[in-house]
């Protein structure tokens, strides 16, 4: 079963009990655009979750943790409670970035031990507007009395040191989720160094969707990762731990049971000039 849902499915659930809709629109190059877009128009009743302020913690001076460090669990739990998300709440998230920002929220909820269903609106807010469904500029009030109790699932998270120790180990595959030119080190618009982690293979996260933006089936996701063993430990990373999350879920849907996110990703790795860097291609498994 895919975790992407179409606009008509979401429309039928507007105002449903124990269901929270979250707008996660955000542009990495223009951080304020998402909030402004939300204030202009959003799905009625949706709350806004800002990648920089709500779905990430404060940046550290030395770059450790990357451009979007994970938020402190207690801080994130308080935010989730304020927008009505408890441990068993059904959540519908959307963005206009192909599901990447919404998948970041979904990953955070999984890490935090959320036990309810989490879905992503296929096609994002653009798909919602395309069928002329209702929109609102009214921001809902904060919710009182909802408590989210973190139960961290740290088995889906790895650190920089863990990744460094994993390089070249049998049974561990490192996947770089960025587009190929960044992986190969031909361009690097955001981080201190260009290239990739030694041994990492490239599976651009956008390939988890068809050219029309529709999320691929579990069978099609499995085909993307042909050659990898279901017994492998898979570590995914990207630039800052956001766009790797669609690959994280694509791998899970494809039947891989031991998938982990290097949350700091390339922005964390490249912040330490002592870390090894490779440019060019590496042969896929």
């Amino acid at each position: 079963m895919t975790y992407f849902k179409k606009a008509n499915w979401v429309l039928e659930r507007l105002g449903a009990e124990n269901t929270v809709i979250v707008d996660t629109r955000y542009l990495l190059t223009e951080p304020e655009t998402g909030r402004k877009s939300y204030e202009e128009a959003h799905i009625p009743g949706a709350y806004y979750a800002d990648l920089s302020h709500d779905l990430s913690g404060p940046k550290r001076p030395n770059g450790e943790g990357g451009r979007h460090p994970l938020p402190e669990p207690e801080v994130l739990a308080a935010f989730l409670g304020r927008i009505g998300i408890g441990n068993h709440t059904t959540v519908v998230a959307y963005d206009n970035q192909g599901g990447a920002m919404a998948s970041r929220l979904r990953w955070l909820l999984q890490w935090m031990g959320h036990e309810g269903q989490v879905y992503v609106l296929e096609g994002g807010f653009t798909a919602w507007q395309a069928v002329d469904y209702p929109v609102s500029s009214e921001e809902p009030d904060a919710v009182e009395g909802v408590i989210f109790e973190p139960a961290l699932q740290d088995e889906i998270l790895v650190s920089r040191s863990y990744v460094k120790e994993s390089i070249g180990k049998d049974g561990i595959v490192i996947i770089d989720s960025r587009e190929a030119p960044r992986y190969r080190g031909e361009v690097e618009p955001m981080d201190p160094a260009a290239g990739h982690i030694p041994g990492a293979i490239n599976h651009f996260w956008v390939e988890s969707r068809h050219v029309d933006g529709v999320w691929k089936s579990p069978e099609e996701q499995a085909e993307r990762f042909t050659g990898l063993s279901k017994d492998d430990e898979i570590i995914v990373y990207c630039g800052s731990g956001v766009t790797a999350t669609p690959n994280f879920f694509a791998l899970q849907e494809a039947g891989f049971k031991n998938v982990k996110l290097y949350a700091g990703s390339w922005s964390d790795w490249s912040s330490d000039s002592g870390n090894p860097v490779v440019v060019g291609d590496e042969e896929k498994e």
Side-chain angles (χ1 to χ4, degrees), residues 1 25 65 84 91 94 115 121 128 134 142 163 172 181 204 222 225 227 229 248 257 266 272 284:
M1 181 185 71
R25 285 176 287 173
V91 178
Y94 69 90
E115 297 180 67
L121 170 60
W128 183 268
V163 174
I172 299 180
F204 188 24
F225 303 109
S229 169
F248 177 92
K257 304 298 185 185
W266 185 249
D272 183 347
K284 290 187 179 181

Side-chain angles (χ1 to χ4, degrees), residues 91-151:
V91 178
V92 179
Y94 69 90
D95 56 38
N96 257 353
Q97 287 71 45
M101 308 301 158
S103 294
R104 164 76 168 207
L105 172 58
R106 184 176 186 237
W107 186 90
L108 286 171
L109 287 168
Q110 185 168 328
W111 174 56
M112 291 279 283
H114 177 262
E115 297 180 67
Q117 297 294 324
V118 185
Y119 301 106
V120 174
L121 170 60
E122 190 162 72
F125 192 61
T126 299
W128 183 268
Q129 291 179 302
V131 287
D132 202 28
Y133 284 166
V135 298
S136 174
S137 59
E138 182 178 348
E139 186 168 356
D141 294 331
V143 178
E144 296 183 2
V146 175
I147 297 175
F148 191 101
E149 297 182 357

Side-chain angles (χ1 to χ4, degrees), residues 26-27 29-38 48 50 52-53:
Y26 184 96
L27 286 178
T29 54
E30 300 177 43
E32 302 304 318
T33 298
R35 161 61 77 171
K36 290 178 181 177
S37 297
Y38 168 80
Y48 185 68
D50 186 284
S52 291
H53 304 297

Side-chain angles (χ1 to χ4, degrees), residues 3-4 97-100 122 175-184 201-226 228 237 243-251 253-254 281 284:
Y3 71 98
F4 274 85
Q97 287 71 45
E122 190 162 72
I175 292 178
D176 186 313
S177 304
R178 299 171 300 164
E179 58 188 329
R182 288 188 72 189
Y183 165 79
R184 293 193 296 261
I201 58 175
N202 185 219
H203 285 283
F204 188 24
W205 75 272
V206 169
E207 294 166 357
S208 61
R209 303 175 297 151
H210 292 287
V211 292
D212 61 359
V214 174
W215 186 253
K216 291 180 178 179
S217 68
E219 294 76 19
E220 290 170 318
Q221 301 293 4
E223 187 175 348
R224 290 178 60 210
F225 303 109
T226 297
L228 303 185
Y237 77 93
T243 60
T245 56
N247 263 348
F248 177 92
F249 292 114
L251 284 156
E253 288 190 15
D281 281 314
K284 290 187 179 181

